[in-house]
Amino acid sequence: MYAIPTPYKISALLNQTTYLVGGELKTWTGQMTDVYSTISSTEVYKPTHLGAIPDMGEAAALEALDAACEAYNQGQGDWPTMKVEQRIECMEKFVTAFKEQRETIVKYLMWEVGKTLEDSQKEFDRTVVYIYDTIEDYKKLDRDSAKFSKQDGVYAHIRRGPLGVVLCLGPYNYPLNETFALLIPALIMGNAVIFKPAKHGVLLLSPLLKAFQESFPKGVVNIIYGRGRKVATPIMKTGRVDVLALIGNSKSAIALQDEHPNKNRLRLVLGLEAKNPAIVLPDADLDLAVNECISGSLSFNGQRCTALKVFYIHEDIIEEFNKRYVAKVDALKFGNPWEEGVQLTPLPEPGKPAYIQELIDDALAKGAQIINKKGGERCENYIFPAVLYPVNKTMRVYEEEQFGPVVPILSFKDIQEPLNDMADSNYGQQVSLFGNDINSLAPLIDTLVNLVCRVNLNSSCQRGPDVFPFTGRKDSAVATLSVHDALRSFSIRTFVAAKDNPYNQKILSDLLASGKSNFMSTDYIL
Ligand code: G3H
């Protein structure tokens, strides 16, 4: 019986007919793009029509850019010159309104990107925590700067200031959390933002437009819709963007960067693709390794930048590892996001099952086999994870970031094999290393930390906890994100210096006592 629990039913279309520009929720009268979910509402499969979003073009994009530039006003706007406490107040107002939208946002996370109920709730709650943690960290940053230093007869009051106008583009797999991991620090540091949601996970942001409008001064947050090519490209071409903040693919990041006429002025904050390997050494605790490899490779169907996307298993244990791993893969439950105990869910991109099939066919043609019974089983919106073994370097699944349910396995004899592959790879985000003998682990760790930016010992790869640095080498990232690092990534050190003499001393004391400067302050924010 195909039943959708009442709270998760789509009872009406959500047509997003407004966009936020210059503090106004403007009505869009142009073309709209229909939004469909790959999840069916009926027993006989049919994509579900969820609503529509504006299909904007250059004119609307440049209108948003003008609004952001006006709000920033080359650093002279109210927002970039505001007192830290006041910016924090705006953010607190926003998070209060944000929390009220949990139910709707969680529901649309399930329908738009197919994330399980539990993971959708986690994504929402993690974002709330992220905002509060950012506020706290910003206070700490401010307190640490609420002082003067003196060197060689010069006083300095050093703080972090905003960079300017930020174009913010988030990914579809974490349309809320990862987007906010860019937006929130960018805003709180005093930048003005133009934000365009990803290709999926757009309607879930609809309830937040009003909250943004009411919480921040006009033009500080501008939200537009449409294809990247049509809206982001013309914005970049103007050269008026100071920061490109993008979580997604390096190809789009490079293409957008290339449009900017003054590249030296453009700061990049990028979270890009990865091909994180799992390396399982012969002495590893196999049950632990298998369990971590299951969640690492297949949670949210492998659609995580941190997902384990290639396995290197030592030849002494490969048979046993594969046996235990495939048994667990085939036991994973596929279903709609709200179903009890479901682990695999519909893929939000309609073309994804066909793409994964191409990777499988290519690997099979080049000598791999599907080693699990259910591997490759297809339905309209899914393809069951195929575990492919033995995989070699000529196969597309070895090279490409599959970002979906297919698992390539290679065996190795000498640890130098996976290390060489990682060194040759275009990616360098994280690795999972499974083993127990410290004599083999120690030198490996010393090498791996230079190939990637996080070595997960006996556990799968992940971004969290969000206070830890999240970054990557090569094509995997530019700049570091974490609650703390993001505040730094979206700001620059700037300071007031004055020679130590009675004349300046009096001015500095008066400035501080008057409280007239928003920048110069030794107040301790509680
Ligand atoms: O898509 C990439 C995300 O940053 C992964 O985050 O490790 O919390 O799933 P996660």
Side-chain angles (χ1 to χ4, degrees):
M1 174 64 193
Y2 196 89
I4 299 173
T6 312
Y8 312 132
K9 277 193 179 140
I10 296 292
S11 46
L13 291 182
L14 201 173
N15 291 323
Q16 179 60 48
T17 50
T18 55
Y19 61 109
L20 179 61
V21 168
E24 263 184 76
L25 279 172
K26 294 198 169 178
T27 301
W28 173 252
T29 50
Q31 286 225 324
M32 299 285 285
T33 307
D34 284 320
V35 178
Y36 283 91
S37 169
T38 56
I39 299 171
S40 181
S41 305
T42 50
E43 198 145 1
V44 177
Y45 181 81
K46 188 168 155 253
T48 302
H49 190 194
L50 299 178
I53 50 166
D55 179 13
M56 296 180 160
E58 182 165 345
L62 296 182
E63 185 192 1
L65 176 67
D66 282 343
C69 291
E70 201 176 309
Y72 190 70
N73 192 17
Q74 294 178 311
Q76 302 171 73
D78 287 346
W79 184 246
T81 54
M82 197 176 265
K83 274 191 189 303
V84 168
E85 290 106 306
Q86 288 172 300
R87 281 210 292 266
I88 288 177
E89 271 167 31
C90 294
M91 197 55 87
E92 280 168 344
K93 184 170 176 189
F94 174 74
V95 72
T96 305
F98 176 75
K99 285 191 290 187
E100 286 167 15
Q101 301 302 331
R102 185 177 192 264
E103 214 175 295
T104 316
I105 292 177
V106 165
K107 173 171 156 178
Y108 276 90
L109 265 172
M110 292 193 285
W111 280 98
E112 288 193 274
V113 303
K115 194 164 279 190
T116 64
L117 172 61
E118 200 193 341
D119 284 348
S120 298
Q121 288 167 334
K122 258 195 233 158
E123 179 163 347
F124 185 90
D125 297 338
R126 177 179 175 182
T127 308
V128 173
V129 173
Y130 194 92
I131 301 176
Y132 281 120
D133 285 353
T134 300
I135 293 174
E136 273 318 302
D137 218 274
Y138 189 34
K139 285 184 185 172
K140 194 167 169 295
L141 191 71
D142 186 80
R143 289 175 197 137
D144 293 345
S145 320
K147 61 181 183 207
F148 279 79
S149 338
K150 191 178 160 190
Q151 186 69 40
D152 300 336
V154 180
Y155 281 115
H157 184 64
I158 309 169
R159 289 184 172 276
R160 299 199 72 89
L163 293 162
V165 171
V166 180
L167 176 62
C168 181
L169 307 165
Y172 82 80
N173 63 335
Y174 281 88
L176 186 73
N177 182 264
E178 295 236 298
T179 305
F180 276 58
L182 300 174
L183 259 182
I184 300 300
L187 284 172
I188 210 165
M189 291 312 292
N191 302 285
V193 171
I194 307 152
F195 157 50
K196 186 199 88 64
K199 59 180 170 178
H200 303 293
V202 184
L203 293 173
L204 62 93
L205 298 157
S206 293
L208 299 177
L209 261 66
K210 209 167 166 42
F212 276 119
Q213 183 199 21
E214 289 173 353
S215 308
F216 297 98
K218 70 177 184 136
V220 168
V221 184
N222 304 281
I223 303 180
I224 53 172
Y225 298 88
R227 304 295 302 268
R229 238 174 298 119
K230 281 169 71 183
V231 291
T233 307
I235 290 178
M236 291 300 287
K237 270 197 169 125
T238 63
R240 293 162 78 199
V241 167
D242 301 288
V243 186
L244 173 64
L246 176 150
I247 297 192
N249 189 275
S250 61
K251 282 201 186 84
S252 4
I254 293 166
L256 284 173
Q257 215 176 309
D258 280 347
E259 298 291 348
H260 200 288
N262 303 102
K263 289 180 189 47
N264 55 312
R265 289 196 198 174
L266 182 68
R267 169 90 61 113
L268 299 172
V269 180
L270 309 175
L272 305 171
E273 66 269 27
K275 191 88 182 171
N276 292 343
I279 301 177
V280 186
L281 301 175
D283 63 326
D285 176 332
L286 264 200
D287 280 332
L288 173 75
V290 165
N291 285 336
E292 290 290 324
C293 284
I294 287 285
S295 63
S297 56
L298 292 172
S299 58
F300 194 35
N301 306 301
Q303 300 166 117
R304 296 162 57 230
C305 61
T306 48
L308 291 173
K309 299 196 178 100
V310 59
F311 289 3
Y312 290 90
I313 316 293
H314 192 273
E315 61 176 18
D316 289 354
I317 50 160
I318 187 120
E319 208 173 304
E320 190 56 29
F321 177 92
N322 283 354
K323 195 172 97 196
R324 293 191 208 179
Y325 180 75
V326 297
K328 293 227 169 200
V329 172
D330 280 349
L332 294 173
K333 180 177 168 187
F334 169 74
N336 283 331
W338 42 81
E339 287 174 33
E340 187 82 28
V342 78
Q343 289 136 318
L344 305 172
T345 47
L347 299 166
E349 295 172 286
K352 200 49 156 298
Y355 167 69
I356 298 291
Q357 183 75 58
E358 277 179 28
L359 296 183
I360 295 172
D361 293 346
D362 171 76
L364 297 183
K366 291 171 182 162
Q369 285 178 2
I370 300 178
I371 60 168
N372 57 325
K373 283 202 193 77
K374 292 162 84 174
E377 281 179 9
R378 293 233 349 224
C379 64
E380 293 85 350
N381 56 13
Y382 203 63
I383 179 159
F384 199 87
V387 183
L388 297 170
Y389 178 76
V391 161
N392 65 47
K393 290 190 220 168
T394 66
M395 297 173 187
R396 284 178 61 191
V397 74
Y398 171 82
E399 202 64 47
E400 295 173 28
E401 187 199 34
Q402 64 268 44
F403 217 75
V406 59
V407 183
I409 303 186
L410 290 85
S411 73
F412 69 93
K413 188 183 180 71
D414 180 346
I415 189 62
Q416 206 51 49
E417 298 166 38
L419 291 183
N420 289 345
D421 288 355
M422 285 174 72
D424 287 344
S425 163
N426 288 329
Y427 308 114
Q429 190 197 62
Q430 301 188 15
V431 64
S432 288
L433 177 62
F434 296 92
N436 170 39
D437 172 16
I438 57 159
N439 295 315
S440 34
L441 289 176
L444 258 181
I445 288 171
D446 294 350
T447 298
L448 287 170
V449 287
N450 295 340
L451 291 172
V452 294
C453 287
R454 174 165 165 166
V455 177
N456 298 278
L457 201 51
N458 292 311
S459 68
S460 60
C461 297
Q462 61 175 50
R463 172 186 170 136
D466 288 326
V467 294
F468 291 156
F470 178 57
T471 185
R473 297 169 188 272
K474 299 189 253 185
D475 291 347
S476 287
V478 177
T480 302
L481 292 171
S482 75
V483 170
H484 180 70
D485 293 302
L487 294 177
R488 297 178 63 89
S489 298
F490 286 103
S491 62
I492 188 164
R493 299 226 294 171
T494 178
F495 69 107
V496 178
K499 281 187 185 155
D500 180 17
N501 56 41
Y503 181 66
N504 281 339
Q505 274 177 14
K506 171 146 178 30
I507 294 175
L508 291 178
S509 312
D510 290 352
L511 266 172
L512 290 173
S514 70
K516 284 189 175 160
S517 164
N518 291 345
F519 182 87
M520 288 191 64
S521 160
T522 49
D523 291 352
Y524 185 95
I525 302 183
L526 293 173

